[in-house]
Amino acid sequence: MCDICVMNSVKERMISRRNFFRAAASAGAVGAVGVTTATPAMAAGHGSVEDMTYELSEDFPTYFGVPGISSEKMFNFAEHGFNVSKITFNEHTGTHIDAPLHFSADGAAVNEIPVSQLIAPLCVIDIAERANEDPDSSVTPDDIKAWIANNGPIPDGACVAMHSGWGQYVSGAKFRGADDNGVQHYPGFHVEAARMLLEESNAASLASDTLSLDIGASTTYDTHYAWLPAGRFGIENIANLDRVPVAGATLVIGAPKHRGGTGGPARIFAML
């Protein structure tokens, strides 16, 4: 079919869709009169929702220090009657998933993460005060023990998240924290904390509010190598951990599902 034929067809369908939705809206307005109940939009027991995802753009900091995403306009509304852009991105850009395959030869790809693991009790371990004094701080086994003492056992399938307060630096150079030698400085999970969770809990994921599950200065990625090959997954650059309770929220993880992916940008929110 020729390009002009496609464009004309699209415009005709848009007009038909507009008329359809106008009619549906009118019918809905009439039908709503006298209705006293509706299907709740939130799962029972939750009253609000918090976005845990950063806006993805070329300006967002990346581990390698170069833009992780680019966009090319392929069609525009004024000329073609519709908008389409081509997006190119590094899988590990913005708020994103680390699949087991990211740090293993044959681990599960992002499309193979069980959907049951993408709805998770959220456990927030707050090390912000310590991280403020030392950017190379990490979540330790003692931090996990303290959380358990205050909140009870780590729930099965939980996402254990590090709140270091690093989100306040997301618009500046300190988020990467690169020194004169190019070494990055920001908090992460100590490998012994990851091992403790592997041995003593059924947590399904770790989440960090920084660029990595490991501390920024790591060159051996011990936490990645301990956690991901064990069949668990990670979340990096999670946002707004200061807006959710340390226990009791439910995390909904909109993981991408491209075949063979080592990870990918994700839309994540917490139900409170």
Side-chain angles (χ1 to χ4, degrees), residues 51 62 96 110 122 131 183 268:
D51 194 352
T62 66
H96 69 270
V110 70
L122 178 61
V183 178
I268 300 174

Side-chain angles (χ1 to χ4, degrees), residues 53 95 97 118-119 235 251-257 264-269:
T53 315
T95 302
I97 303 295
L118 302 180
I119 308 292
I235 301 169
L251 203 63
V252 180
I253 305 162
K257 201 177 179 182
R267 187 63 185 269
I268 300 174
F269 58 91

Side-chain angles (χ1 to χ4, degrees), residues 71-160:
S71 175
E72 175 189 353
K73 186 71 113 174
M74 298 179 67
F75 297 92
N76 65 80
F77 192 84
E79 208 177 334
H80 306 106
F82 57 95
N83 294 305
V84 175
S85 294
K86 178 181 179 180
I87 306 295
T88 304
F89 60 85
N90 179 314
E91 289 176 310
H92 300 272
T93 301
T95 302
H96 69 270
I97 303 295
D98 278 7
L101 183 60
H102 184 36
F103 269 73
S104 61
D106 56 0
V110 70
N111 58 300
E112 296 171 325
I113 295 174
V115 69
S116 60
Q117 294 182 3
L118 302 180
I119 308 292
L122 178 61
C123 307
V124 180
I125 298 181
D126 189 340
I127 65 164
E129 185 174 347
R130 190 164 77 237
N132 187 53
E133 300 295 327
D134 178 12
D136 295 321
S137 295
S138 59
V139 173
T140 67
D142 285 343
D143 294 317
I144 296 171
K145 291 174 184 176
W147 190 96
I148 292 171
N150 291 326
N151 302 284
I154 302 290
D156 288 349
C159 174
V160 179

